[in-house]
Amino acid sequence: MENKGPVSQFIKHHYRHFNSACIVDAAEAYDAHMKKGGKMMLAMAGAMSTAEIGLSLAEMIRQDKIQIVCCSANNLEEDVMNLVAHNHYYRVPNYRDLTPEQEHELLNNHYNRVTDTCIPEEEAFRRLEDHLVEIWKDMKAKGERLFAWEVIYRLLRSGVLEQYYEIDPKDSWVLAACEKNIPIIVPAWEDCTTANIYTAHCIRGEFDASKSMIKNGIETMIFLTNWYKENATGAGVGFFQIGGGTAGDFPICVVPMMEQDLGWKGTPLWSYFCQISDCTTSYGSYSGAVPNEKITWGKLSKDTPRFIIESDATIVAPLLFAYQLGW
């Protein structure tokens, strides 16, 4: 436990069996992978940004514990929304008890609920819209096409949002990623509020949807292919996944695509795999293959350290990150 703080020591001492022991095993294997010079992808689904995962994830990025992120589109935008509108968020501790009438009242008050947390439409969505539109107009004038994260980075680097900051900037994981200039690939950007806003402006005729200024999913996979080819040397690239769905399924497929579809024989497989999930595969609620099944798809080898932690990511991920950070 050299250089480990009280949180890590607590985990190591108390988490000895069953699901808790898997947290320790996964954390130690992550640690070992990084010490060998490996790199790590974070594949993040769910609403982790609204759960304020940035409190630990931002430092993971700053300390080079994560070199690339693939996330659902809402996670990209919602971290920035929390950055600029946090004080206007509304928490509903008894969210399980809300009646349809109370939900409708939240709608009338322009609060969009994510479990126990309500995002304020005016301060979050609308506050970003005007500034995003300015960037999109500038891109149109220059004939530019960017990835979704590059647009957000341009917005953050402009400094125009600093007047709105309502949390300590060090707790924004997207801002940390921007400062480190790591890619945040978003395979289905169309599935988010900022994309809905962009669509609305296309329908109004301000932008041309057939010549989208936001690079698409195929271009995103090509980018990831080039990134993986350059970075999967030595100890290789690990894969740390929160949740299921496209955020995890899309990026992990880059390896069999390179090996099988491109015919690049000898493509290194992912060198570490861990997923936090609460889904039961046999019920059809899980999107993607469990770790052992991924061996059959040419994503992991039979020797790849692989873990699945069946628990709540809002509890487990900060603990795992704390262990990596030595907290």
Side-chain angles (χ1 to χ4, degrees):
M1 293 298 291
E2 182 182 355
N3 299 322
K4 296 291 185 183
V7 177
S8 298
Q9 291 178 33
F10 179 90
I11 294 169
K12 184 71 173 178
H13 182 71
H14 290 277
Y15 289 9
R16 302 187 181 198
H17 303 283
F18 315 142
N19 207 35
S20 69
C22 190
I23 295 174
V24 177
D25 293 341
E28 290 181 336
Y30 192 133
D31 219 9
H33 175 72
M34 301 308 290
K35 285 177 179 175
K36 289 188 294 186
K39 296 183 178 180
M40 189 67 68
M41 165 179 277
L42 169 65
M44 183 166 62
M48 297 302 294
S49 289
T50 293
E52 296 191 72
I53 192 63
L55 290 164
S56 53
L57 177 54
E59 190 62 19
M60 286 284 287
I61 292 170
R62 279 192 292 271
Q63 292 196 24
D64 296 318
K65 304 290 186 180
I66 291 168
Q67 284 71 36
I68 185 171
V69 175
C70 179
C71 68
S72 50
N74 63 293
N75 274 310
L76 176 64
E77 66 181 11
E78 287 177 14
D79 180 81
V80 181
M81 290 174 185
N82 182 59
L83 175 65
V84 303
H86 178 81
N87 296 344
H88 297 82
Y89 278 52
Y90 176 61
R91 184 165 178 263
V92 186
N94 62 329
Y95 67 93
R96 291 182 177 89
D97 302 325
L98 292 177
T99 65
E101 290 74 19
Q102 289 172 313
E103 301 278 20
H104 189 72
E105 184 180 353
L106 289 173
L107 169 67
N108 288 339
N109 290 321
H110 305 286
Y111 278 111
N112 301 105
R113 186 169 70 83
V114 181
T115 311
D116 71 342
T117 304
C118 299
I119 302 175
E121 181 178 332
E122 197 63 34
E123 291 80 8
F125 304 132
R126 303 283 83 86
R127 184 169 283 179
L128 292 180
E129 180 174 3
D130 290 344
H131 301 300
L132 282 169
V133 170
E134 287 303 311
I135 290 176
W136 293 332
K137 285 180 178 178
D138 185 58
M139 291 169 59
K140 179 181 178 182
K142 295 176 179 176
E144 289 182 297
R145 298 185 70 248
L146 300 174
F147 288 109
W149 88 84
E150 293 176 316
V151 174
I152 295 298
Y153 282 5
R154 184 169 293 186
L155 179 61
L156 291 170
R157 289 166 180 162
S158 73
V160 71
L161 296 184
E162 292 177 11
Q163 60 185 309
Y164 308 121
Y165 285 3
E166 294 185 354
I167 63 169
D168 189 328
K170 73 177 179 60
D171 294 331
S172 165
W173 74 265
V174 173
L175 188 57
C178 177
E179 291 166 351
K180 296 291 286 190
N181 200 34
I182 70 169
I184 306 176
I185 62 174
V186 183
W189 177 72
E190 292 79 5
D191 181 21
C192 72
T193 301
T194 49
N196 294 160
I197 292 169
Y198 180 80
T199 301
H201 285 270
C202 288
I203 292 171
R204 292 189 189 114
E206 298 170 44
F207 308 121
D208 187 348
S210 67
K211 300 175 182 176
S212 178
M213 297 181 295
I214 309 301
K215 293 185 178 180
N216 62 36
I218 301 302
E219 291 167 293
T220 301
M221 181 58 85
I222 292 170
F223 174 91
L224 178 57
T225 301
N226 292 328
W227 185 94
Y228 192 88
K229 186 177 181 180
E230 293 172 8
N231 288 273
T233 56
V237 181
F239 198 95
F240 188 89
Q241 182 174 346
I242 296 175
T246 305
D249 296 349
F250 179 91
I252 204 166
C253 287
V254 73
V255 170
M257 187 274 290
M258 293 167 70
E259 175 78 21
Q260 299 168 22
D261 301 320
L262 276 168
W264 293 355
K265 299 304 179 184
T267 297
L269 302 181
W270 297 97
S271 52
Y272 166 96
F273 178 83
C274 177
Q275 181 183 9
I276 305 170
S277 174
D278 65 351
C279 291
T280 306
T281 54
S282 61
Y283 294 164
S285 59
Y286 179 75
S287 176
V290 293
N292 280 12
E293 193 176 317
K294 293 183 191 298
I295 295 171
T296 72
W297 287 87
K299 300 168 183 175
L300 308 177
S301 81
K302 61 182 179 60
D303 301 315
T304 302
R306 53 193 181 275
F307 311 90
I308 185 163
I309 304 169
E310 294 174 325
S311 188
D312 182 337
T314 63
I315 297 170
V316 172
L319 290 174
L320 251 155
F321 292 163
Y323 194 92
Q324 301 313 309
L325 297 167
W327 290 353

